Amino acid sequence: MSPAYILKRIVLVGYTLLVVSLIVFAITQILPADAAVMMLGENATTEALSALRAKMGLDASIWAQYGHWLAGVLRGDFGVSMRTGQPVGPVMIEALGRSLLLALFSIVLMLVLALPLGIIAAVRRGRIADLLVSVISYIGVSLPEFVTATLVVLVLADWLQWLPATGYVPLTENPLQGLRHLVLPVLTISVILIAHVSRMVRSELVDVLHTDYVRAARLKGLPKRTVLYKHALRNALLPTITIVALDVGYLLGGVIVVEEIFALPGIGRQLIVAIQSRDLPSIQAGALIMAATYAIASFLADIAYARLDRRIQYD
C-alpha cells in the first residue's frame, strides 16, 4: 500500500466528515429550538435573549455560525451544552469510549463464535451441523435488539439472577462488577453480529473451497488443516472484514437502543438525551463523532484487506 494512497484516503475521510458536518449543522438549525430560550428559559426578557444571541453569535448568518462552529471543532472545541453548561467535547469523548468498549467486547465475542460456526457449516455443508448453524443464524437475524435484550434480561437477570439487569460500573473502579454489567448488553449485540458473520464466512468459504487453487493444494497432498486455514480461510475472510467494518456503523447506531435499555452512559444514550432536551451542541458533537468513528473503521478495513491479501494493491 503506497503512502500516496494512504494520504488520498485520509483526505477522503476529511472530505466526508466535512460533508457530514454540513448536514448535521443544517439539520440542527431546522430543529424547533432556540438556544437562547433553552439557556435562559421561556420567561427571559427580550433584551436578555437578544444579548445572549449576540454573545453566542446566533444573530449572525448561517454560514458565519457554521464557520465559527467548524473552527471550534478543528480546535477540539465542540461548544458548551445547553443542558448542563459544561463543555460538550470531553463528555462525548468519554461516552464514546464506553460505547467503543461495548463494541469491542461484542466484536471479540462475535469473532470467537462466528468464525468457528461459519467454518463448521462450510466444511460440513448439507449436514446437521450446517442446518443448525443456518437455523441459529436466521433466528439471530430476525430478532430485533429490544426483543433480544428482553429475553436475556428475563432469563439471566430475572429468572436465574446471575447478572445485574441495568447499570454501569467503570472497569477502572471495579473490574469484576464492570464486566458483570457489560455481559447482558454484549450478548444482546453479539447475537445479530454472530448471525451475520457466520453466514458470510460459511458462504464465502464454500465458494473458496471449490476454486482451482484449493483443488491444486489438495492434489499436492497438503494436510486438510493447511488447505483450510492457510489457503482457503484467508481469502474467505476478506468479505468478512467489510462486514465487520460495516458492523461498526451498526454498533454505533444500533447500540443506542441497547444503551437505553441497559442504562449504559454511552454516546448513543447521550445523543438521545441531547435530542430530547434540544441540546444542539451535544447533538452536533455526537453525530459528528459517530461519523468520524465509522469513517476511520472503513479506512482501517481497507488496510486490513491489503495485509490479508497481497494481491490487492492500492495505488
Side-chain angles (χ1 to χ4, degrees):
M1 183 179 294
S2 65
Y5 174 79
I6 295 177
L7 179 60
K8 180 181 178 181
R9 281 305 308 268
I10 292 174
V11 172
L12 182 60
V13 168
Y15 174 73
T16 302
L17 294 180
L18 178 63
V19 174
V20 170
S21 70
L22 277 168
I23 296 173
V24 169
F25 188 83
I27 291 175
T28 53
Q29 294 301 308
I30 297 173
L31 291 177
D34 189 327
V37 175
M38 292 290 296
M39 296 183 72
L40 296 181
E42 295 182 357
N43 297 323
T45 62
T46 304
E47 293 78 9
L49 292 174
S50 300
L52 182 59
R53 290 191 185 101
K55 181 180 179 181
M56 297 177 64
L58 298 177
D59 55 350
S61 66
I62 296 296
W63 287 110
Q65 293 182 45
Y66 171 73
H68 177 73
W69 174 71
L70 183 61
V73 169
L74 294 177
R75 297 193 307 268
D77 181 10
F78 289 88
V80 177
S81 171
M82 298 179 186
R83 182 173 58 90
T84 64
Q86 300 296 321
V88 171
V91 174
M92 284 296 177
I93 295 297
E94 185 178 359
L96 176 65
R98 301 189 190 105
S99 296
L100 290 179
L101 181 65
L102 179 60
L104 176 62
F105 282 129
S106 301
I107 290 176
V108 169
L109 180 61
M110 175 267 292
L111 293 175
V112 169
L113 296 179
L115 291 181
L117 287 175
I119 293 171
I120 292 172
V123 173
R124 302 180 179 237
R125 182 186 179 190
R127 301 180 186 177
I128 297 296
D130 185 18
L131 178 61
L132 289 176
V133 172
S134 298
V135 171
I136 294 172
S137 299
Y138 289 135
I139 293 175
V141 171
S142 63
L143 291 177
E145 293 92 344
F146 66 89
V147 175
T148 306
T150 303
L151 291 175
V152 297
V153 168
L154 185 64
V155 175
L156 298 178
D158 187 22
W159 292 354
L160 299 177
Q161 297 184 355
W162 288 351
L163 298 165
T166 59
Y168 174 78
V169 176
L171 295 178
T172 54
E173 293 182 6
N174 191 326
L176 181 58
Q177 285 298 320
L179 290 174
R180 282 170 54 84
H181 280 84
L182 287 174
V183 169
L184 293 186
V186 166
L187 287 176
T188 301
I189 295 173
S190 299
V191 168
I192 296 179
L193 298 182
I194 291 170
H196 284 159
V197 175
S198 62
R199 292 299 299 169
M200 175 62 70
V201 172
R202 187 255 183 205
S203 176
E204 293 298 326
L205 189 56
V206 166
D207 292 339
V208 172
L209 288 175
H210 289 84
T211 56
D212 293 336
Y213 71 88
V214 171
R215 294 194 187 99
R218 287 171 176 167
L219 292 174
K220 290 179 181 179
L222 295 177
K224 290 183 178 180
R225 285 181 174 272
T226 302
V227 174
L228 177 62
Y229 292 105
K230 187 176 181 180
H231 296 278
L233 185 60
R234 183 168 186 153
N235 290 322
L237 287 179
L238 292 177
T240 305
I241 294 174
T242 302
I243 295 298
V244 172
L246 293 175
D247 281 340
V248 173
Y250 155 75
L251 286 171
L252 293 178
V255 81
I256 295 176
V257 178
V258 177
E259 289 179 353
E260 185 66 17
I261 291 174
F262 293 102
L264 287 174
I267 192 169
R269 196 155 189 259
Q270 291 287 345
L271 198 54
I272 287 180
V273 173
I275 293 172
Q276 291 173 341
S277 60
R278 297 294 191 273
D279 189 351
L280 301 185
S282 296
I283 296 173
Q284 294 166 346
L288 189 60
I289 289 173
M290 291 172 71
T293 305
Y294 181 65
I296 293 172
S298 299
F299 174 56
L300 295 178
D302 284 345
I303 296 177
Y305 252 72
R307 296 293 296 176
L308 275 177
D309 192 344
R310 298 296 182 181
R311 296 172 299 175
I312 298 176
Q313 297 293 330
Y314 297 114
D315 297 324

